[in-house]
Amino acid sequence: MGMAGLSIAWIKVAHVGGAPAVIGESLRLLTSGLYVFLLIVYAMKLLRHPDAVAAEHAHPVRLNFFPAISIGLILLSIAWTSTAPGVARYMWGMGAIAHLLFTLSAMSSWIHHTHYDIKHANPAWFIPVVGNILVPIAGVRYAPPDISWFFFSIGLVFWLVLLTIVLYRLFFHEALPARLTPTLFILIAPPAVGFISYLALTDSLDGAARVLYFVGSSSPCCWQATPCASCACLSSSRPGPTLSLWLRWRSPPSKCMCAAASFSMPALGGPCSPCFLRW
């Protein structure tokens, strides 16, 4: 997800004239190869160690990272939409269907649970359900508008629900484990992606779009997550798993970068200027 978000961000910035196009194109190729490689590796794990995969799916925290498979495919469809729309259409369709199934699986696990506790709540819970908010970005090109509105509505409403649960857990219960502290960066992504999806659906930089944009760009959670996550990564005594979480930081900031690029486009009435984009 991080590499795909970074690729889209560079492609978007190149589109508004802020960077060479070759950077985004190179990252897109690298990301596509990496996605295929990781998908093959995990498929081999599923074939050779199905019990381990089943245990991960039953885990109250690791369950939420399975939809990274579908989100990665949706992000790749967004990245390839401008140059290979036919291939991107199939990637978007498979990603949207897979993510809806992951959403239903996660919701079923949460509702019919026997092992969840408030200490298990963390920003990674956003991935299965709130991830639906990504679908309209490319979906407006490939499906009737109501399908995109369907996914957008699920993601937006459950963002508010899960944000309440996660903030309650952060405010009134023990702090997140050090290895999960970098997931605080996920709090940035929903309003930023919601802003981009809303623009795709309405093609209008209206009041609702501005609310989403400024919540994503100036959320207190964003600025508080940065030093905490950095300290957690640098002080961890187990660098392997924490480094993996640290590498995922690229995705939420990349989405904010895409939102800033979209906000600055003059066609939408935004303050298009090199100074604004650099800021």
Side-chain angles (χ1 to χ4, degrees):
M1 292 191 296
M3 287 296 296
L6 187 64
S7 303
I8 295 169
W10 277 105
I11 292 170
K12 188 69 175 179
V13 172
H15 179 68
V16 298
V22 67
I23 299 177
E25 294 170 357
S26 300
L27 285 171
R28 181 174 59 190
L29 286 172
L30 176 63
T31 302
S32 300
L34 181 62
Y35 179 83
V36 172
F37 171 74
L38 293 176
L39 193 62
I40 292 173
V41 169
Y42 203 78
M44 292 175 61
K45 179 179 179 178
L46 177 61
L47 293 174
R48 295 184 179 183
H49 307 286
D51 293 340
V53 175
E56 290 177 349
H57 191 267
H59 193 276
V61 176
R62 294 176 182 173
L63 163 71
N64 301 298
F65 292 99
F66 276 86
I69 299 171
S70 55
I71 289 180
L73 198 55
I74 294 170
L75 288 171
L76 284 175
S77 75
I78 297 169
W80 285 102
T81 290
S82 59
T83 55
V87 176
R89 178 190 297 270
Y90 286 106
M91 289 194 292
W92 175 83
M94 291 186 293
I97 293 172
H99 198 78
L100 182 59
L101 295 176
F102 280 127
T103 296
L104 295 175
S105 175
M107 288 293 295
S108 176
S109 177
W110 294 340
I111 293 172
H112 304 289
H113 70 86
T114 57
H115 57 288
Y116 284 104
D117 190 80
I118 190 63
K119 66 182 180 182
H120 295 138
N122 66 82
W125 280 32
F126 286 12
I127 298 174
V129 181
V130 184
N132 287 284
I133 209 169
L134 269 171
V135 174
I137 298 176
V140 292
R141 298 169 179 252
Y142 303 133
D146 281 344
I147 293 179
S148 292
W149 277 109
F150 168 77
F151 284 97
F152 179 80
S153 302
I154 294 173
L156 186 65
V157 170
F158 279 97
W159 165 49
L160 299 174
V161 172
L162 292 176
L163 179 63
T164 303
I165 295 173
V166 170
L167 290 181
Y168 168 76
R169 182 252 192 271
L170 294 175
F171 290 169
F172 300 110
H173 294 270
E174 62 191 54
L176 286 173
R179 292 174 62 190
L180 286 177
T181 303
T183 63
L184 288 171
F185 255 84
I186 297 175
L187 296 174
I188 310 170
V193 177
F195 166 75
I196 300 170
S197 292
Y198 186 81
L199 287 186
L201 287 164
T202 65
D203 196 28
S204 173
L205 189 59
D206 57 16
R210 281 182 160 83
V211 168
L212 289 170
Y213 174 76
F214 286 113
V215 167
S217 63
S218 61
S219 169
C221 295
C222 169
W223 308 120
Q224 292 297 326
T226 305
C228 294
S230 300
C231 292
C233 282
L234 293 174
S235 63
S236 174
S237 60
R238 300 181 63 184
T242 307
L243 177 61
S244 175
L245 285 171
W246 179 79
L247 291 173
R248 294 182 194 130
W249 290 12
R250 289 187 300 262
S251 185
S254 297
K255 292 177 175 66
C256 283
M257 187 177 177
C258 291
S262 298
F263 188 81
S264 68
M265 293 177 68
L268 296 170
C272 183
S273 71
C275 292
F276 176 83
L277 190 56
R278 283 195 295 271
W279 178 84

